[in-house]
Amino acid sequence: MSLQQPEFGARLRELRVKLGLSQQQLAGEGLSAGYLSRLESGARPPTARAIEYLSERLSVSPDTFKGTVVDPVAQAVTAASATEDQARAVHLLETALATESDGDDAAVRWQALRLLAEHHRQRGAGDLERDNLVRMVRLSDRFDVPEARAYSRLHLARCERALGQMEKAHETAREALAITTEHDLPPGDRAGALMVLISTEVAVGDLAEAQAHAVELEEIADRGGEVLHAEALWTAAHVNLRNSDYTGAAERLDKALASLDSRTNPLLWLRLRLAAASLSLQMSPRRLEAAERCLAEAAPAIDLIGTPLHRQEHTLLTAQLNFQRDDLDESRRLLDSLDEQDLLLAYQDRLAWDVLRSQLRILGGERTQGIEGLRRLAEEAEGRANVDLSKEIWRALAETLARVQ
């Protein structure tokens, strides 16, 4: 393959200068000096006739102008994977992806988008993460690798769920699950799709389907490893909770917490404790001691391996715990500390933050404003097809009003 611009122009100029020729001398009668100048600057691509003519004038083989053309996106992926400077990595990837040609390797572009999506997820930029994941879905359909197609949709569904787009997340998760079934992908791939699908089924109120899928998930997890087993128990506990089976939810949560050693997967170990604290605060009656224990265990792990998002989730849960224990001043203080930060919380947690703020307003004497705030939030959740969250907000309103009677 002949060198492409600007590499061709650089090679041509190098050979000309080595022979001590001017552009006019090299051009001779077969080319114009202007065209030769544009070739050397990289402004014009070389034709086969031009390569043949210039090879003869320079007394070299046409093979001299052949070489390997490196895909700039592949270069960017390699560089981004090798550098610790995240800002530089993002710049390299975005610059390389800014242009596209028919000869681009779709699989390589997919890898670049995956790195970008992961970067945006870690810094809580959900809209940017979603944009890259949507592009990944389209590209994965072009090169048709089932694992990439399922992966793209699984992570897009997770992102849509975090943004509060439950109906979209539900449909995308169904697509991911269908791909794992059609192509008989490994149990771990199917389990990942099931977990997202179950969480969206719970959110939209399709509890019968969620229960059926939870049974399938546990069957897969029984054949999987320690990590998958813990995640399956955590997911099933959520289904139990929404079915008002608080005893079953507590049993599965406790099993999940006990089944995973912190050395096996420290990050999942941390996330499990935050999730267990959250579910414990939603039970009836609420398991306040269990929530406090989980938050206490999570705190040192956050200092060691946690992200700013984990810290914000921990702060919000601690504020909710203090509210339930009637320490309203501490609850307000913790919420105020979140006010001073760029919130990275997912949509559902942002609503939980607003719910708690409205509850505190009611108990602080601003009854009308607090009630109106909770009604607005419940209607917003319902408008996003998050029936489960809407019910929780109405419950919060009823319980808060009962405390001021």
Side-chain angles (χ1 to χ4, degrees):
M1 178 184 293
S2 297
L3 288 172
Q4 303 297 301
Q5 294 290 20
E7 288 83 3
F8 176 87
R11 178 73 58 82
L12 175 60
R13 183 178 185 281
E14 177 188 358
L15 292 169
R16 177 180 63 78
V17 171
K18 186 180 292 186
L19 292 176
L21 298 174
S22 67
Q23 289 183 341
Q24 186 69 50
Q25 289 172 323
L26 177 58
E29 296 181 358
L31 293 177
S32 71
Y35 175 64
L36 181 61
S37 176
R38 290 190 290 276
L39 284 176
E40 288 193 1
S41 69
R44 290 287 298 275
T47 64
R49 192 190 71 80
I51 292 174
E52 183 178 352
Y53 176 78
L54 290 169
S55 299
E56 183 179 342
R57 297 283 292 173
L58 291 165
S59 300
V60 297
S61 166
D63 290 343
T64 303
F65 293 104
K66 291 183 178 180
T68 301
V69 180
V70 179
D71 183 346
V73 179
Q75 284 183 316
V77 168
T78 302
S81 301
T83 183
E84 295 296 325
D85 186 339
Q86 286 299 303
R88 174 171 170 74
V90 170
H91 173 72
L92 289 169
L93 292 167
E94 290 181 339
T95 300
L97 288 167
T99 58
E100 188 169 359
S101 67
D102 293 338
D104 285 343
D105 187 331
V108 173
R109 295 184 75 86
W110 185 89
Q111 289 288 357
L113 290 166
R114 184 186 64 81
L115 291 174
L116 276 177
E118 176 63 17
H119 168 79
H120 293 313
R121 186 192 64 79
Q122 290 178 355
R123 55 186 285 267
D127 288 337
L128 293 175
E129 179 192 1
R130 179 191 55 204
D131 291 345
N132 285 292
L133 288 166
V134 168
R135 294 170 68 186
M136 285 171 61
V137 168
R138 292 171 183 161
L139 277 174
S140 67
D141 289 342
R142 276 176 53 188
F143 57 81
D144 197 24
V145 174
E147 290 81 359
R149 294 180 64 219
Y151 178 99
S152 302
R153 286 165 171 80
L154 169 61
H155 286 266
L156 177 58
R158 287 175 176 168
C159 182
E160 290 169 336
R161 179 185 61 186
L163 291 171
Q165 300 170 350
M166 289 302 168
E167 289 182 317
K168 287 184 178 180
H170 187 223
E171 182 58 33
T172 306
R174 287 174 64 88
E175 291 177 8
L177 184 64
I179 292 170
T180 67
T181 303
E182 179 184 356
H183 297 279
D184 195 24
L185 296 186
D189 292 338
R190 184 169 182 81
L194 277 169
M195 281 187 273
V196 181
L197 182 58
I198 291 167
S199 67
T200 60
E201 287 169 340
V202 168
V204 301
D206 194 351
L207 296 181
E209 281 295 307
Q211 183 64 51
H213 283 133
V215 171
E216 180 183 354
L217 176 61
E218 288 197 273
E219 290 174 354
I220 295 174
D222 286 342
R223 305 191 300 272
E226 175 180 348
V227 170
L228 181 56
H229 183 63
E231 289 184 310
L233 285 169
W234 166 12
T235 303
H238 198 67
V239 178
N240 287 131
L241 178 66
R242 296 311 168 213
N243 278 315
S244 299
D245 178 9
Y246 302 115
T247 300
E251 288 177 353
R252 281 187 164 89
L253 268 181
D254 291 340
K255 285 182 182 178
L257 292 170
S259 68
L260 186 67
D261 189 286
S262 61
R263 293 167 295 184
T264 302
N265 189 322
L267 193 55
L268 177 59
W269 185 91
L270 167 59
R271 289 174 55 226
L272 269 176
R273 272 142 187 82
L274 293 175
S278 177
L279 291 183
S280 295
L281 289 171
Q282 296 173 51
M283 290 185 184
S284 182
R286 290 180 172 83
R287 302 172 73 208
L288 300 185
E289 290 185 2
E292 183 175 25
R293 183 175 64 253
C294 288
L295 291 172
E297 291 174 352
I302 288 174
D303 290 336
L304 288 173
I305 62 170
T307 65
L309 173 58
H310 293 134
R311 191 174 301 280
Q312 289 185 5
E313 290 172 341
H314 188 275
T315 299
L316 175 61
L317 289 166
T318 306
Q320 292 173 321
L321 175 62
N322 279 280
F323 178 83
Q324 294 300 329
R325 289 196 157 152
D326 288 324
D327 190 348
L328 304 186
D329 289 339
E330 179 62 9
S331 185
R332 287 191 187 92
R333 187 192 70 78
L334 290 168
L335 286 188
D336 289 343
S337 72
L338 287 175
D339 267 342
E340 299 168 358
Q341 306 173 39
D342 291 330
L343 281 185
L344 305 174
L345 298 171
Y347 169 78
Q348 188 156 327
D349 286 333
R350 285 173 185 257
L351 248 64
W353 180 91
D354 279 331
V355 166
L356 184 53
R357 181 68 79 190
S358 293
Q359 289 177 289
L360 287 168
R361 294 186 77 176
I362 292 173
L363 297 182
E366 300 178 70
R367 181 182 176 121
T368 301
Q369 298 92 326
I371 292 173
E372 179 56 33
L374 288 172
R375 284 177 175 165
R376 174 182 56 79
L377 293 170
E379 290 168 359
E380 179 183 332
E382 190 171 349
R384 287 174 172 255
N386 199 328
V387 178
D388 178 57
L389 182 55
S390 180
K391 289 168 61 177
E392 278 298 305
I393 297 172
W394 287 120
R395 175 192 176 194
L397 174 57
E399 290 180 346
T400 307
L401 290 176
R403 289 169 68 167
V404 295
Q405 296 302 326

